[in-house]
Amino acid sequence: MRVLVIGSGGREHALVWKLRQSARVSQLFCAPGNAGVAACAECLPADIKSIDSLLALAKRVEPDLTIVGPELPLQLGVVDEFARHGYRIFGPTQAAAQLESSKSFAKEFMQRHHIPTAHYAICDTSEDVSDALPHFSMPVVVKADGLAAGKGVVICETKEAATAVAAEMLSGKMLGDAGARVVIEECLQGEEISFLAMSDGERVVALAAAQDHKRVGEGDTGANTGGMGAYSTEAIIDTQMQNWLLQHIARPVVAGMKAEGAEYKGVLYCGLMMTARGPMVLEFNCRFGDPETQPILMRLESDLIEALEASIEGRVSDGDFRWSSDAAVCVVMTSGGYPGTFEVGKKITGIEEGEKVPGVAIFHAGTTKHDDAYFTSGGRVLGITARAADLEAAVKSAYEAAGKISFGGAYYRKDIAARALKK
Ligand code: AMP
């Protein structure tokens, strides 16, 4: 089978790494990929912001199956367009992907279908914001409606700060069109977890859960990032909680989307806050998360291709995923300064030594290769991922491998999974 993966980050490297293990995959392509992906797939140039560019690529490659990593092509309708041209593709349509691409759509949808989430108000103008704020206690969360690559959520301590942030988003100065509408939301307290499910439009199964670390600094301080690390263990969600989340969140989402004429196929990623009032949805993502996919796929023992095909063909069942009881963790190494400004083009050393640590796989996020040497090319550079019998051993291996790798300005958090280990 010829398989095409769209995207260029650590998530796509992990997908390609897992797909390589399937006896059913004969040829693997990644568009555009990165220097690490190139070791296990043929990387092809493509503009992921252009559906025409992706379609032209499909016509050249003639894939039997396409898997979309990032959210942007899904929002732009890559699944609709590929399907129209007869290409089998995994993921939700443009209409279904609104669960991620529009926070106001997701909030109103959750209200219509009684899915637990924070109180909110949708605001199109500064007047709407002034009318809404008296109904919220501080701190309050201000969110851009559209896709903002992790930069569209600000927790504000005062009404003045919330007013100023909302005004800046609405003006278009902060996030362009993504901020043309904002959602004001009650600030929830609790432990955050990532609950992932897979659907074929009707049936839903749970995937392994994960916990990610979005803030740049140790102890969850500093700016929000795309993700500084994640871990996955059996202990994050027990069977009883998993059944509750399926019954009260994932199944109602899939049934609700079907009832509204926008069947949801693909991975449904539910970002949850485990509050004193019970689990509540912070956000939906309509694809695999990055970096959660890296530890999750390291725990997957069954063939990923089979599960993706089950979603496309409408035959998702509990047997699609077989998970190891091992734990896995991913520590993201970034360029110094990320998520603000940073320099690229720094020579990376020690990747091979890091890969020799037992149980470790190093997924590239922002790298290029010249004359047999790797160089940095992005904010998130590498995802040092390790699997072991327990979380403590996995964390130890990941940090041992990370310690062998260096490049100018390299930074990583030293406390990935530390809270879980303390428990
Ligand atoms: P989102 O993109 O909506 O998941 O938001 C990014 C991050 O902002 C989440 O992972 C949370 O840490 C935080 N966040 C979002 N919404 C809320 C909320 N209602 N209360 C507290 N924190 C939130």
Side-chain angles (χ1 to χ4, degrees), residues 103 107 117-119 139-144 149-155 184-190 192 212 214-215 224-225 269 271-273 281-285:
K103 296 216 186 265
K107 294 299 281 191
T117 190
H119 296 305
V140 71
V141 186
V142 181
K143 297 186 175 185
K151 300 187 188 84
V153 176
V154 184
I155 297 176
I184 308 280
E185 208 173 275
E186 168 198 12
C187 190
L188 300 174
Q189 306 291 334
E192 268 187 75
D212 73 352
K214 284 212 170 81
R215 309 284 285 273
N224 255 327
T225 68
Y269 172 127
L272 305 176
M273 190 75 93
V281 177
L282 294 177
E283 63 162 343
F284 292 118
N285 291 337

Side-chain angles (χ1 to χ4, degrees), residues 20 39 45-47 98 103 113 174 183 186 207 228 242 247 264 281 283 296 322 358-359 374 378 406 423:
R20 252 282 154 250
D47 176 5
Q98 283 182 95
K103 296 216 186 265
H113 296 280
M174 195 169 156
V183 176
E186 168 198 12
L207 274 60
M228 297 298 294
Q242 180 171 301
Q247 191 185 337
Y264 192 95
V281 177
E283 63 162 343
I296 286 177
R322 208 174 55 253
Y374 289 110
S406 55
K423 272 197 218 155

Side-chain angles (χ1 to χ4, degrees), residues 9 47 51 58 85 279 320 332 368 380:
D47 176 5
I51 302 303
H85 286 81
D320 293 339
V332 175
T368 54
R380 291 193 290 174

Side-chain angles (χ1 to χ4, degrees), residues 49-359:
K49 298 187 292 301
S50 158
I51 302 303
D52 286 344
S53 160
L54 295 173
L55 200 55
L57 181 72
K59 286 182 178 158
R60 264 205 348 264
V61 169
E62 289 294 333
D64 299 304
L65 175 64
T66 299
I67 300 148
V68 190
E71 57 276 25
L72 186 61
L74 295 168
Q75 182 197 15
L76 296 175
V78 69
V79 169
D80 311 59
E81 204 57 23
F82 269 47
R84 208 173 356 262
H85 286 81
Y87 294 112
R88 284 201 320 158
I89 182 162
F90 171 79
T93 59
Q94 184 173 41
Q98 283 182 95
L99 279 178
E100 175 170 8
S101 63
S102 167
K103 296 216 186 265
S104 59
F105 174 87
K107 294 299 281 191
E108 291 182 319
F109 174 85
M110 284 189 272
Q111 192 168 43
R112 283 197 294 280
H113 296 280
H114 313 290
I115 294 162
T117 190
H119 296 305
Y120 70 98
I122 294 170
C123 303
D124 289 310
T125 63
S126 291
E127 290 71 51
D128 293 347
V129 176
S130 328
D131 290 346
L133 279 176
H135 301 286
F136 291 87
S137 50
M138 296 301 116
V140 71
V141 186
V142 181
K143 297 186 175 185
D145 186 54
L147 295 182
K151 300 187 188 84
V153 176
V154 184
I155 297 176
C156 301
E157 299 298 330
T158 64
K159 288 196 165 62
E160 292 69 35
T163 305
V165 167
E168 190 146 344
M169 283 184 183
L170 288 168
S171 74
K173 275 188 223 138
M174 195 169 156
L175 297 163
D177 285 349
R181 167 177 277 184
V182 300
V183 176
I184 308 280
E185 208 173 275
E186 168 198 12
C187 190
L188 300 174
Q189 306 291 334
E191 187 90 5
E192 268 187 75
I193 59 168
S194 304
F195 170 64
L196 285 89
M198 170 88 84
S199 175
D200 60 11
E202 209 169 308
R203 281 159 291 264
V204 185
V205 295
L207 274 60
Q211 189 161 43
D212 73 352
H213 298 63
K214 284 212 170 81
R215 309 284 285 273
V216 70
E218 279 153 28
D220 293 324
T221 54
N224 255 327
T225 68
M228 297 298 294
Y231 70 92
S232 175
T233 63
E234 275 187 331
I236 295 178
I237 295 178
D238 63 19
T239 310
Q240 195 182 355
M241 177 56 79
Q242 180 171 301
N243 288 337
W244 192 96
L245 296 171
L246 281 170
Q247 191 185 337
H248 295 274
I249 296 175
R251 287 201 192 104
V253 168
V254 169
M257 291 301 282
K258 187 173 175 164
E260 296 190 11
E263 202 176 58
Y264 192 95
K265 285 185 172 205
V267 169
L268 177 68
Y269 172 127
C270 309
L272 305 176
M273 190 75 93
M274 309 307 263
T275 75
R277 287 183 279 157
M280 298 212 162
V281 177
L282 294 177
E283 63 162 343
F284 292 118
N285 291 337
C286 54
R287 30 93 198 166
F288 287 105
D290 189 345
E292 298 87 330
T293 301
Q294 289 83 315
I296 286 177
L297 289 185
M298 273 195 104
R299 293 187 54 218
L300 180 61
E301 305 234 291
S302 48
D303 189 342
L304 180 61
I305 282 281
E306 303 280 344
L308 302 178
E309 286 191 312
S311 164
I312 297 172
E313 292 166 9
R315 50 178 177 80
V316 158
S317 75
D318 284 330
D320 293 339
F321 294 94
R322 208 174 55 253
W323 301 103
S324 159
S325 59
D326 284 0
V329 65
C330 173
V331 175
V332 175
M333 289 185 90
T334 69
S335 299
Y338 172 81
T341 50
F342 53 84
E343 289 176 14
V344 295
K346 309 284 181 193
K347 188 171 179 179
I348 309 170
T349 58
I351 292 180
E352 275 180 22
E353 287 74 14
E355 280 171 336
K356 284 185 194 142
V357 176

